[in-house]
């Protein structure tokens, strides 16, 4: 039975999601509290029951694709106690990490770093609640407060009020249309559910299986390597539309597109030029794989040729025309884009390494839609709004079209958190001044 709980308290800020973006913001707000002389009352609501970042994708082999120096704080404040280096020091692993000789920690360790940082903000976080919507609270024709409605694991709804919100709810798994009917079929799952879903399959008990991985990016490659290394009973086909697996370009000059300064360059361009800049560097982030993983996969396939034991395959130029569920397996009809020939393959499981959509902010903010300018933001990530919407709405991770490719990545977190934090302090100060003026006018 769902009950509704409402709080009359008004927070300065409610953050939706407590992933790396809003965690970086919590740290920036702590720093800004010192320089501004007062702290903001901020609460972050996360649907996970405890702190986990991509928890279901943390296969042992997967490594972070950016330097540990691009952590939550170091690019803004290298002396911060929340740096990755201090995390290593506190956990007595700094010397060991130096001896590894790498800039790229494994994701398992980076997840632990984020949890360590988040533990410092436990009193500002509400876990195990999914935010359903953000509603306006109209008063004298103005919206000074927003209502944030969430639902906990028992099905109870909670209503909280805030002077501003920051939506950092992250990506939503992208499911190709041909796989939409398989929602309830445990044999077909998105890579975001990788570990939990594999545990339910026969291969977890060492039984033989044929598995298809759909996709050509980093997640697909990591799943391929993990299945090869950890599940010797599994045969894998990686299915991709492209004519080859392509390497991610992370060379030094190209990497400058992820520098905080580059955000200004992109934002200051006209819309058409922004789109061109994003397209030009698409191969840094989408449907590409780290070169060392590509070389490992190629080596695995080559050794199969030497031994004449063909366990895995990478099927390039294949379009999935149909997917049919049968008691014996999932039957995929693949069309070769070069020859136009079709073949049907049967798999025991299908992993969709098909990426993420960035649409959750539109659903959450739908009740405010008439007051927002199609979710377009200013340079400081505040959504452009009609004059009556006084409460500030910020977006983290939904601004790639205006702020560039780094918007959905970890690279600009420290800079973006500070920009949003400073803008928050200014907008709240203006709002309080406006309220005082309104009170003065009514009592005059």
């Amino acid at each position: 039975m769902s009950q509704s709980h409402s709080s009359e308290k008004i927070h300065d800020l409610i953050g939706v999601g407590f992933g790396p973006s809003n965690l970086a913001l919590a740290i920036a707000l702590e720093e800004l509290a010192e320089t501004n002389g007062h702290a903001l009352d901020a609460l972050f609501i996360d649907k996970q029951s405890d702190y986990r970042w991509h928890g279901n994708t943390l296969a042992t082999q997967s490594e972070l694709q950016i330097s540990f120096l691009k952590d939550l704080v170091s690019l803004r404040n290298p002396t911060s106690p929340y740096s990755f280096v201090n995390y290593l020091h506190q956990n007595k692993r700094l010397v060991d990490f130096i001896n590894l000789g790498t800039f790229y920690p494994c994701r398992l360790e980076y997840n632990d770093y984020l949890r360590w940082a988040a533990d410092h903000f436990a009193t500002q976080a509400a876990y195990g609640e999914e935010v359903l919507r953000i509603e306006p609270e109209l008063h004298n024709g103005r919206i000074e407060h927003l209502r944030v409605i969430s639902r906990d694991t028992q099905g109870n709804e909670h209503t909280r009020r805030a002077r501003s919100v920051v939506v950092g709810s992250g990506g939503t798994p992208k499911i190709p249309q041909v796989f939409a009917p398989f929602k309830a079929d445990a044999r077909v799952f998105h890579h975001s559910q990788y570990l939990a879903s594999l545990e339910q399959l026969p291969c977890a008990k060492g039984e033989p299986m044929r598995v298809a991985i759909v996709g050509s990016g980093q997640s697909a490659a990591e799943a391929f390597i993990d299945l090869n290394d950890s599940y010797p009973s599994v045969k894998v086909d990686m299915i991709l539309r492209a004519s080859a697996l392509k390497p991610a370009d992370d060379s030094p000059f190209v990497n400058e597109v992820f520098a905080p300064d580059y955000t200004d360059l992109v934002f200051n361009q006209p819309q058409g030029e922004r789109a061109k800049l994003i397209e030009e560097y698409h191969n840094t982030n989408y449907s590409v794989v780290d070169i060392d993983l590509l070389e490992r996969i190629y080596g695995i396939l080559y050794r199969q040729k030497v031994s004449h034991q063909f366990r895995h395959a990478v099927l390039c130029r294949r379009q999935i025309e149909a997917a049919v569920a049968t008691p014996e397996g999932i039957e995929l009809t693949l069309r070769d884009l070069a020859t136009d020939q079709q073949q049907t393959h049967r798999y025991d499981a299908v992993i969709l390494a098909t990426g993420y959509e960035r649409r959750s902010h539109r659903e959450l903010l739908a009740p405010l839609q008439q007051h927002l300018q199609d979710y377009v933001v200013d340079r400081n990530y505040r959504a452009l709004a009609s004059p009556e919407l006084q409460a500030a709405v910020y977006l983290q991770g939904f601004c790639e079209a205006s702020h560039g490719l780094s918007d959905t990545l970890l690279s600009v977190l420290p800079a973006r958190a500070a920009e949003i934090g400073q803008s928050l302090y200014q907008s709240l100060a203006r709002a309080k001044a406006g309220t005082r003026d309104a009170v003065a006018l009514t009592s005059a």
Side-chain angles (χ1 to χ4, degrees), residues 353-389:
T354 45
Y356 294 84
E357 297 174 302
R358 297 268 167 178
R359 295 192 52 81
S360 54
H361 63 303
R362 291 177 175 269
E363 287 144 32
L364 290 168
L365 293 165
L368 290 168
Q369 193 175 342
Q370 70 192 83
H371 304 286
L372 300 171
Q373 296 175 28
D374 195 31
Y375 308 98
V376 174
V377 297
D378 69 11
R379 174 61 187 82
N380 292 329
Y381 305 91
R382 181 174 177 171
L384 301 180
S386 57
E388 63 271 17
L389 179 54

mmCIF file of all heavy atoms in Angstrom, residues 353-389:
data_model
loop_
_atom_site.group_PDB
_atom_site.id
_atom_site.type_symbol
_atom_site.label_atom_id
_atom_site.label_comp_id
_atom_site.label_asym_id
_atom_site.label_seq_id
_atom_site.Cartn_x
_atom_site.Cartn_y
_atom_site.Cartn_z
ATOM 1 N N ALA A 353 24.837 -4.254 -25.985
ATOM 2 C CA ALA A 353 25.819 -3.212 -25.648
ATOM 3 C C ALA A 353 25.555 -2.039 -26.594
ATOM 4 O O ALA A 353 26.398 -1.655 -27.409
ATOM 5 C CB ALA A 353 27.238 -3.756 -25.798
ATOM 6 N N THR A 354 24.340 -1.497 -26.470
ATOM 7 C CA THR A 354 23.809 -0.554 -27.469
ATOM 8 C C THR A 354 23.754 0.883 -26.966
ATOM 9 O O THR A 354 23.070 1.724 -27.550
ATOM 10 C CB THR A 354 22.408 -1.019 -27.917
ATOM 11 O OG1 THR A 354 21.645 -1.397 -26.750
ATOM 12 C CG2 THR A 354 22.501 -2.229 -28.830
ATOM 13 N N GLY A 355 24.443 1.153 -25.866
ATOM 14 C CA GLY A 355 24.581 2.536 -25.415
ATOM 15 C C GLY A 355 23.406 3.050 -24.606
ATOM 16 O O GLY A 355 22.543 2.279 -24.158
ATOM 17 N N TYR A 356 23.380 4.367 -24.467
ATOM 18 C CA TYR A 356 22.415 5.031 -23.573
ATOM 19 C C TYR A 356 21.773 6.224 -24.268
ATOM 20 O O TYR A 356 22.370 6.847 -25.135
ATOM 21 C CB TYR A 356 23.130 5.522 -22.301
ATOM 22 C CG TYR A 356 23.662 4.390 -21.450
ATOM 23 C CD1 TYR A 356 24.900 3.821 -21.727
ATOM 24 C CD2 TYR A 356 22.922 3.872 -20.396
ATOM 25 C CE1 TYR A 356 25.392 2.764 -20.967
ATOM 26 C CE2 TYR A 356 23.402 2.821 -19.626
ATOM 27 C CZ TYR A 356 24.637 2.273 -19.916
ATOM 28 O OH TYR A 356 25.119 1.227 -19.169
ATOM 29 N N GLU A 357 20.547 6.505 -23.857
ATOM 30 C CA GLU A 357 19.866 7.722 -24.292
ATOM 31 C C GLU A 357 19.925 8.719 -23.147
ATOM 32 O O GLU A 357 20.003 8.336 -21.989
ATOM 33 C CB GLU A 357 18.397 7.428 -24.614
ATOM 34 C CG GLU A 357 18.204 6.465 -25.765
ATOM 35 C CD GLU A 357 16.743 6.084 -25.943
ATOM 36 O OE1 GLU A 357 16.138 5.561 -24.995
ATOM 37 O OE2 GLU A 357 16.227 6.330 -27.033
ATOM 38 N N ARG A 358 19.850 9.982 -23.493
ATOM 39 C CA ARG A 358 19.857 11.029 -22.460
ATOM 40 C C ARG A 358 18.514 11.756 -22.514
ATOM 41 O O ARG A 358 18.411 12.826 -23.096
ATOM 42 C CB ARG A 358 21.019 11.999 -22.718
ATOM 43 C CG ARG A 358 22.379 11.326 -22.622
ATOM 44 C CD ARG A 358 22.942 11.432 -21.238
ATOM 45 N NE ARG A 358 24.084 10.551 -21.010
ATOM 46 C CZ ARG A 358 24.753 10.507 -19.882
ATOM 47 N NH1 ARG A 358 24.401 11.273 -18.877
ATOM 48 N NH2 ARG A 358 25.763 9.688 -19.725
ATOM 49 N N ARG A 359 17.493 11.121 -21.952
ATOM 50 C CA ARG A 359 16.139 11.676 -22.031
ATOM 51 C C ARG A 359 15.439 11.771 -20.680
ATOM 52 O O ARG A 359 14.362 12.342 -20.571
ATOM 53 C CB ARG A 359 15.257 10.803 -22.946
ATOM 54 C CG ARG A 359 15.678 10.762 -24.388
ATOM 55 C CD ARG A 359 14.601 10.137 -25.259
ATOM 56 N NE ARG A 359 13.292 10.752 -25.053
ATOM 57 C CZ ARG A 359 12.904 11.887 -25.618
ATOM 58 N NH1 ARG A 359 13.717 12.543 -26.408
ATOM 59 N NH2 ARG A 359 11.701 12.378 -25.381
ATOM 60 N N SER A 360 16.037 11.220 -19.641
ATOM 61 C CA SER A 360 15.320 11.127 -18.355
ATOM 62 C C SER A 360 14.945 12.495 -17.802
ATOM 63 O O SER A 360 13.931 12.643 -17.117
ATOM 64 C CB SER A 360 16.135 10.331 -17.329
ATOM 65 O OG SER A 360 17.436 10.859 -17.184
ATOM 66 N N HIS A 361 15.735 13.542 -18.134
ATOM 67 C CA HIS A 361 15.409 14.887 -17.636
ATOM 68 C C HIS A 361 14.076 15.381 -18.196
ATOM 69 O O HIS A 361 13.322 16.073 -17.519
ATOM 70 C CB HIS A 361 16.534 15.872 -17.979
ATOM 71 C CG HIS A 361 16.763 16.078 -19.445
ATOM 72 N ND1 HIS A 361 17.050 15.045 -20.307
ATOM 73 C CD2 HIS A 361 16.738 17.207 -20.210
ATOM 74 C CE1 HIS A 361 17.205 15.525 -21.524
ATOM 75 N NE2 HIS A 361 17.017 16.830 -21.496
ATOM 76 N N ARG A 362 13.759 14.995 -19.426
ATOM 77 C CA ARG A 362 12.500 15.442 -20.051
ATOM 78 C C ARG A 362 11.293 14.860 -19.325
ATOM 79 O O ARG A 362 10.280 15.533 -19.144
ATOM 80 C CB ARG A 362 12.462 15.046 -21.533
ATOM 81 C CG ARG A 362 13.465 15.823 -22.374
ATOM 82 C CD ARG A 362 13.483 15.375 -23.825
ATOM 83 N NE ARG A 362 14.381 16.233 -24.602
ATOM 84 C CZ ARG A 362 14.010 17.341 -25.236
ATOM 85 N NH1 ARG A 362 12.739 17.724 -25.212
ATOM 86 N NH2 ARG A 362 14.878 18.071 -25.908
ATOM 87 N N GLU A 363 11.420 13.588 -18.916
ATOM 88 C CA GLU A 363 10.304 12.951 -18.200
ATOM 89 C C GLU A 363 10.149 13.552 -16.800
ATOM 90 O O GLU A 363 9.042 13.862 -16.361
ATOM 91 C CB GLU A 363 10.527 11.436 -18.120
ATOM 92 C CG GLU A 363 10.319 10.729 -19.467
ATOM 93 C CD GLU A 363 11.280 9.572 -19.682
ATOM 94 O OE1 GLU A 363 11.664 8.929 -18.695
ATOM 95 O OE2 GLU A 363 11.633 9.328 -20.861
ATOM 96 N N LEU A 364 11.274 13.739 -16.114
ATOM 97 C CA LEU A 364 11.222 14.273 -14.746
ATOM 98 C C LEU A 364 10.675 15.700 -14.715
ATOM 99 O O LEU A 364 9.937 16.066 -13.802
ATOM 100 C CB LEU A 364 12.629 14.267 -14.130
ATOM 101 C CG LEU A 364 13.226 12.904 -13.798
ATOM 102 C CD1 LEU A 364 14.703 13.047 -13.478
ATOM 103 C CD2 LEU A 364 12.492 12.251 -12.638
ATOM 104 N N LEU A 365 11.046 16.489 -15.718
ATOM 105 C CA LEU A 365 10.682 17.909 -15.727
ATOM 106 C C LEU A 365 9.430 18.200 -16.568
ATOM 107 O O LEU A 365 9.099 19.370 -16.779
ATOM 108 C CB LEU A 365 11.866 18.742 -16.246
ATOM 109 C CG LEU A 365 13.099 18.757 -15.339
ATOM 110 C CD1 LEU A 365 14.330 19.277 -16.081
ATOM 111 C CD2 LEU A 365 12.858 19.586 -14.081
ATOM 112 N N ALA A 366 8.752 17.147 -17.019
ATOM 113 C CA ALA A 366 7.563 17.344 -17.861
ATOM 114 C C ALA A 366 6.542 18.310 -17.240
ATOM 115 O O ALA A 366 5.970 19.145 -17.948
ATOM 116 C CB ALA A 366 6.924 15.997 -18.187
ATOM 117 N N PRO A 367 6.281 18.256 -15.897
ATOM 118 C CA PRO A 367 5.317 19.205 -15.322
ATOM 119 C C PRO A 367 5.747 20.675 -15.438
ATOM 120 O O PRO A 367 4.931 21.575 -15.265
ATOM 121 C CB PRO A 367 5.243 18.783 -13.845
ATOM 122 C CG PRO A 367 5.692 17.356 -13.823
ATOM 123 C CD PRO A 367 6.729 17.261 -14.894
ATOM 124 N N LEU A 368 7.047 20.906 -15.727
ATOM 125 C CA LEU A 368 7.557 22.285 -15.857
ATOM 126 C C LEU A 368 7.751 22.690 -17.319
ATOM 127 O O LEU A 368 8.220 23.795 -17.609
ATOM 128 C CB LEU A 368 8.919 22.412 -15.149
ATOM 129 C CG LEU A 368 8.939 22.340 -13.629
ATOM 130 C CD1 LEU A 368 10.366 22.178 -13.136
ATOM 131 C CD2 LEU A 368 8.309 23.576 -13.014
ATOM 132 N N GLN A 369 7.381 21.784 -18.218
ATOM 133 C CA GLN A 369 7.718 21.946 -19.637
ATOM 134 C C GLN A 369 7.304 23.301 -20.211
ATOM 135 O O GLN A 369 8.060 23.944 -20.936
ATOM 136 C CB GLN A 369 7.059 20.825 -20.438
ATOM 137 C CG GLN A 369 7.586 20.707 -21.854
ATOM 138 C CD GLN A 369 7.001 19.506 -22.563
ATOM 139 O OE1 GLN A 369 6.472 18.596 -21.930
ATOM 140 N NE2 GLN A 369 7.076 19.499 -23.871
ATOM 141 N N GLN A 370 6.100 23.778 -19.865
ATOM 142 C CA GLN A 370 5.607 25.032 -20.439
ATOM 143 C C GLN A 370 6.434 26.243 -19.996
ATOM 144 O O GLN A 370 6.413 27.286 -20.635
ATOM 145 C CB GLN A 370 4.137 25.244 -20.058
ATOM 146 C CG GLN A 370 3.923 25.553 -18.573
ATOM 147 C CD GLN A 370 2.459 25.479 -18.174
ATOM 148 O OE1 GLN A 370 1.922 24.413 -17.891
ATOM 149 N NE2 GLN A 370 1.825 26.642 -18.179
ATOM 150 N N HIS A 371 7.192 26.066 -18.896
ATOM 151 C CA HIS A 371 8.007 27.172 -18.384
ATOM 152 C C HIS A 371 9.453 27.106 -18.871
ATOM 153 O O HIS A 371 10.241 28.010 -18.613
ATOM 154 C CB HIS A 371 8.003 27.170 -16.847
ATOM 155 C CG HIS A 371 6.625 27.223 -16.261
ATOM 156 N ND1 HIS A 371 5.850 28.362 -16.266
ATOM 157 C CD2 HIS A 371 5.884 26.255 -15.655
ATOM 158 C CE1 HIS A 371 4.677 28.103 -15.702
ATOM 159 N NE2 HIS A 371 4.685 26.837 -15.315
ATOM 160 N N LEU A 372 9.825 26.001 -19.540
ATOM 161 C CA LEU A 372 11.209 25.801 -19.986
ATOM 162 C C LEU A 372 11.291 25.934 -21.500
ATOM 163 O O LEU A 372 10.331 25.630 -22.203
ATOM 164 C CB LEU A 372 11.718 24.424 -19.550
ATOM 165 C CG LEU A 372 11.743 24.159 -18.039
ATOM 166 C CD1 LEU A 372 12.045 22.695 -17.758
ATOM 167 C CD2 LEU A 372 12.763 25.047 -17.350
ATOM 168 N N GLN A 373 12.438 26.360 -21.991
ATOM 169 C CA GLN A 373 12.621 26.554 -23.435
ATOM 170 C C GLN A 373 13.244 25.305 -24.054
ATOM 171 O O GLN A 373 14.412 25.289 -24.439
ATOM 172 C CB GLN A 373 13.469 27.798 -23.687
ATOM 173 C CG GLN A 373 12.770 29.066 -23.205
ATOM 174 C CD GLN A 373 13.658 30.294 -23.334
ATOM 175 O OE1 GLN A 373 14.535 30.372 -24.190
ATOM 176 N NE2 GLN A 373 13.424 31.274 -22.471
ATOM 177 N N ASP A 374 12.450 24.243 -24.093
ATOM 178 C CA ASP A 374 12.872 22.949 -24.650
ATOM 179 C C ASP A 374 14.195 22.466 -24.041
ATOM 180 O O ASP A 374 15.053 21.914 -24.729
ATOM 181 C CB ASP A 374 12.969 23.013 -26.178
ATOM 182 C CG ASP A 374 13.028 21.610 -26.796
ATOM 183 O OD1 ASP A 374 12.431 20.679 -26.210
ATOM 184 O OD2 ASP A 374 13.700 21.437 -27.827
ATOM 185 N N TYR A 375 14.353 22.708 -22.741
ATOM 186 C CA TYR A 375 15.493 22.186 -21.970
ATOM 187 C C TYR A 375 16.837 22.737 -22.453
ATOM 188 O O TYR A 375 17.881 22.142 -22.217
ATOM 189 C CB TYR A 375 15.487 20.653 -21.971
ATOM 190 C CG TYR A 375 14.153 20.101 -21.540
ATOM 191 C CD1 TYR A 375 13.203 19.687 -22.469
ATOM 192 C CD2 TYR A 375 13.797 20.046 -20.187
ATOM 193 C CE1 TYR A 375 11.961 19.226 -22.069
ATOM 194 C CE2 TYR A 375 12.563 19.584 -19.785
ATOM 195 C CZ TYR A 375 11.644 19.180 -20.734
ATOM 196 O OH TYR A 375 10.415 18.731 -20.334
ATOM 197 N N VAL A 376 16.816 23.881 -23.119
ATOM 198 C CA VAL A 376 18.064 24.572 -23.487
ATOM 199 C C VAL A 376 18.610 25.243 -22.222
ATOM 200 O O VAL A 376 17.842 25.744 -21.400
ATOM 201 C CB VAL A 376 17.799 25.619 -24.595
ATOM 202 C CG1 VAL A 376 19.052 26.439 -24.890
ATOM 203 C CG2 VAL A 376 17.307 24.921 -25.860
ATOM 204 N N VAL A 377 19.948 25.252 -22.079
ATOM 205 C CA VAL A 377 20.556 25.797 -20.860
ATOM 206 C C VAL A 377 21.484 26.959 -21.189
ATOM 207 O O VAL A 377 21.917 27.123 -22.329
ATOM 208 C CB VAL A 377 21.362 24.723 -20.090
ATOM 209 C CG1 VAL A 377 20.461 23.603 -19.603
ATOM 210 C CG2 VAL A 377 22.485 24.168 -20.966
ATOM 211 N N ASP A 378 21.802 27.759 -20.164
ATOM 212 C CA ASP A 378 22.807 28.813 -20.338
ATOM 213 C C ASP A 378 24.201 28.222 -20.121
ATOM 214 O O ASP A 378 24.353 27.014 -19.930
ATOM 215 C CB ASP A 378 22.508 30.013 -19.420
ATOM 216 C CG ASP A 378 22.714 29.709 -17.926
ATOM 217 O OD1 ASP A 378 23.293 28.643 -17.586
ATOM 218 O OD2 ASP A 378 22.297 30.541 -17.092
ATOM 219 N N ARG A 379 25.213 29.068 -20.150
ATOM 220 C CA ARG A 379 26.593 28.577 -20.034
ATOM 221 C C ARG A 379 26.827 27.843 -18.721
ATOM 222 O O ARG A 379 27.622 26.911 -18.654
ATOM 223 C CB ARG A 379 27.560 29.773 -20.172
ATOM 224 C CG ARG A 379 29.031 29.434 -19.934
ATOM 225 C CD ARG A 379 29.566 28.403 -20.923
ATOM 226 N NE ARG A 379 30.912 27.987 -20.573
ATOM 227 C CZ ARG A 379 31.208 27.075 -19.659
ATOM 228 N NH1 ARG A 379 30.255 26.464 -18.975
ATOM 229 N NH2 ARG A 379 32.466 26.741 -19.424
ATOM 230 N N ASN A 380 26.100 28.226 -17.648
ATOM 231 C CA ASN A 380 26.279 27.597 -16.341
ATOM 232 C C ASN A 380 25.298 26.462 -16.090
ATOM 233 O O ASN A 380 25.037 26.112 -14.943
ATOM 234 C CB ASN A 380 26.175 28.642 -15.228
ATOM 235 C CG ASN A 380 27.340 29.619 -15.262
ATOM 236 O OD1 ASN A 380 28.437 29.249 -15.663
ATOM 237 N ND2 ASN A 380 27.099 30.853 -14.871
ATOM 238 N N TYR A 381 24.745 25.918 -17.172
ATOM 239 C CA TYR A 381 23.905 24.710 -17.124
ATOM 240 C C TYR A 381 22.529 24.945 -16.499
ATOM 241 O O TYR A 381 21.834 23.996 -16.169
ATOM 242 C CB TYR A 381 24.630 23.559 -16.405
ATOM 243 C CG TYR A 381 25.986 23.255 -17.019
ATOM 244 C CD1 TYR A 381 27.139 23.875 -16.555
ATOM 245 C CD2 TYR A 381 26.104 22.372 -18.094
ATOM 246 C CE1 TYR A 381 28.386 23.628 -17.135
ATOM 247 C CE2 TYR A 381 27.344 22.113 -18.670
ATOM 248 C CZ TYR A 381 28.480 22.736 -18.185
ATOM 249 O OH TYR A 381 29.689 22.491 -18.768
ATOM 250 N N ARG A 382 22.144 26.218 -16.341
ATOM 251 C CA ARG A 382 20.805 26.508 -15.828
ATOM 252 C C ARG A 382 19.828 26.543 -16.995
ATOM 253 O O ARG A 382 20.071 27.199 -18.005
ATOM 254 C CB ARG A 382 20.794 27.848 -15.085
ATOM 255 C CG ARG A 382 19.414 28.173 -14.516
ATOM 256 C CD ARG A 382 19.425 29.428 -13.660
ATOM 257 N NE ARG A 382 18.074 29.750 -13.202
ATOM 258 C CZ ARG A 382 17.783 30.680 -12.304
ATOM 259 N NH1 ARG A 382 18.762 31.375 -11.742
ATOM 260 N NH2 ARG A 382 16.546 30.920 -11.953
ATOM 261 N N ALA A 383 18.712 25.821 -16.851
ATOM 262 C CA ALA A 383 17.714 25.771 -17.919
ATOM 263 C C ALA A 383 17.099 27.149 -18.129
ATOM 264 O O ALA A 383 16.731 27.823 -17.162
ATOM 265 C CB ALA A 383 16.630 24.752 -17.575
ATOM 266 N N LEU A 384 17.024 27.574 -19.396
ATOM 267 C CA LEU A 384 16.378 28.848 -19.724
ATOM 268 C C LEU A 384 14.890 28.714 -19.426
ATOM 269 O O LEU A 384 14.261 27.719 -19.805
ATOM 270 C CB LEU A 384 16.598 29.191 -21.198
ATOM 271 C CG LEU A 384 18.065 29.307 -21.649
ATOM 272 C CD1 LEU A 384 18.136 29.663 -23.128
ATOM 273 C CD2 LEU A 384 18.823 30.333 -20.821
ATOM 274 N N ALA A 385 14.331 29.717 -18.739
ATOM 275 C CA ALA A 385 12.963 29.586 -18.238
ATOM 276 C C ALA A 385 12.183 30.881 -18.423
ATOM 277 O O ALA A 385 12.758 31.962 -18.612
ATOM 278 C CB ALA A 385 12.997 29.212 -16.757
ATOM 279 N N SER A 386 10.860 30.754 -18.351
ATOM 280 C CA SER A 386 9.986 31.918 -18.420
ATOM 281 C C SER A 386 10.147 32.731 -17.122
ATOM 282 O O SER A 386 10.562 32.183 -16.099
ATOM 283 C CB SER A 386 8.533 31.473 -18.593
ATOM 284 O OG SER A 386 8.180 30.617 -17.518
ATOM 285 N N PRO A 387 9.789 34.042 -17.146
ATOM 286 C CA PRO A 387 10.032 34.900 -15.975
ATOM 287 C C PRO A 387 9.359 34.396 -14.694
ATOM 288 O O PRO A 387 9.905 34.581 -13.610
ATOM 289 C CB PRO A 387 9.435 36.250 -16.394
ATOM 290 C CG PRO A 387 9.371 36.214 -17.883
ATOM 291 C CD PRO A 387 9.208 34.791 -18.272
ATOM 292 N N GLU A 388 8.203 33.729 -14.819
ATOM 293 C CA GLU A 388 7.511 33.302 -13.590
ATOM 294 C C GLU A 388 8.223 32.138 -12.881
ATOM 295 O O GLU A 388 8.019 31.908 -11.700
ATOM 296 C CB GLU A 388 6.038 32.945 -13.866
ATOM 297 C CG GLU A 388 5.812 31.772 -14.811
ATOM 298 C CD GLU A 388 5.729 32.196 -16.269
ATOM 299 O OE1 GLU A 388 6.148 33.329 -16.603
ATOM 300 O OE2 GLU A 388 5.241 31.392 -17.083
ATOM 301 N N LEU A 389 9.065 31.393 -13.622
ATOM 302 C CA LEU A 389 9.813 30.291 -12.984
ATOM 303 C C LEU A 389 11.075 30.870 -12.338
ATOM 304 O O LEU A 389 12.118 31.009 -12.964
ATOM 305 C CB LEU A 389 10.169 29.195 -14.001
ATOM 306 C CG LEU A 389 10.983 28.003 -13.459
ATOM 307 C CD1 LEU A 389 10.325 27.364 -12.247
ATOM 308 C CD2 LEU A 389 11.224 26.962 -14.535
#
